[in-house]
Amino acid sequence: PEGASVDTVAKAAESAGIASAKSVIDAVKNGALLQSLALPSPSAAGYLFPDTYLLPRNAGAEQLVRLMVDTFKKKLVQEIPESLGLSAVELHERVILASIVEREYRVPDEAPLMASVFLNRLRIGMALQSCATVVYVLSERQGKPHPTRLFDRDLAVQDPFNTYLHPGLPPAPICNPGLTALAAAFR
């Protein structure tokens, strides 16, 4: 689904008999695979397009990651052709932004407005102040249960992904965004 983490994708692959969760996590960070896919990142996180995939049992992690990244690239060019004019760095920054928007919006009409607010904050050097990045820090990086609400102490957690403390984009995508969030971030 849209907004899934690498761990969620890995667990789904394992439960479907495609590959072990560990092998998917390893493939997402495999330098040779990433280079062959021409990704501007040390990880395929953010580029695993959320969709339904039909693969044979034991297809393997590399085949899955390759298919998901190839689908990301095809969908991006089909739906957001202006993305072709961006440099690798600009593309990666938009994917990071889309991942934040993906975890923030509740109805599709909100996504472009959120992306606009974040882009304006980036333009003036203001912290993004995204609760989604704090939830990512707590649940994905610290392994705590997904919080139902955030407290001031959560907003003060020292982590490079905490956009309350660090202006600019976090170092990497926080999830794998879908087309709604991608379109909002690119447009």
Side-chain angles (χ1 to χ4, degrees), residues 43-64:
S43 169
Y47 298 89
L48 303 175
F49 192 77
D51 206 349
T52 300
Y53 295 95
L54 300 175
L55 290 158
R57 284 194 157 294
N58 300 313
E62 286 194 15
Q63 185 176 344
L64 174 64

Side-chain angles (χ1 to χ4, degrees), residues 100 103-104 128-147 149-166 170 174:
I100 297 168
R103 289 275 182 101
E104 287 278 358
L128 294 182
Q129 298 179 341
S130 166
C131 292
T133 62
V134 175
V135 169
Y136 172 80
V137 168
L138 298 174
S139 61
E140 301 288 330
R141 291 178 56 87
Q142 294 185 349
K144 296 178 181 175
H146 192 284
R149 61 185 176 179
L150 295 175
F151 297 95
D152 286 341
R153 69 177 175 266
D154 299 323
L155 304 181
V157 170
Q158 289 295 326
D159 189 282
F161 283 85
N162 184 342
T163 59
Y164 276 84
L165 300 179
H166 304 286
I174 63 170

Side-chain angles (χ1 to χ4, degrees), residues 18 22 26 68 80 104 106 119 124 127-128 142 149 177:
I18 304 300
K22 182 185 180 325
D26 290 345
M68 293 181 83
I80 310 166
E104 287 278 358
R106 295 292 171 248
L119 285 168
I124 64 171
L128 294 182
Q142 294 185 349
R149 61 185 176 179

Side-chain angles (χ1 to χ4, degrees), residues 82-94:
E82 59 271 30
S83 65
L84 285 172
L86 298 178
S87 71
V89 171
E90 291 170 322
L91 172 69
H92 191 59
E93 289 173 346
R94 293 301 173 104

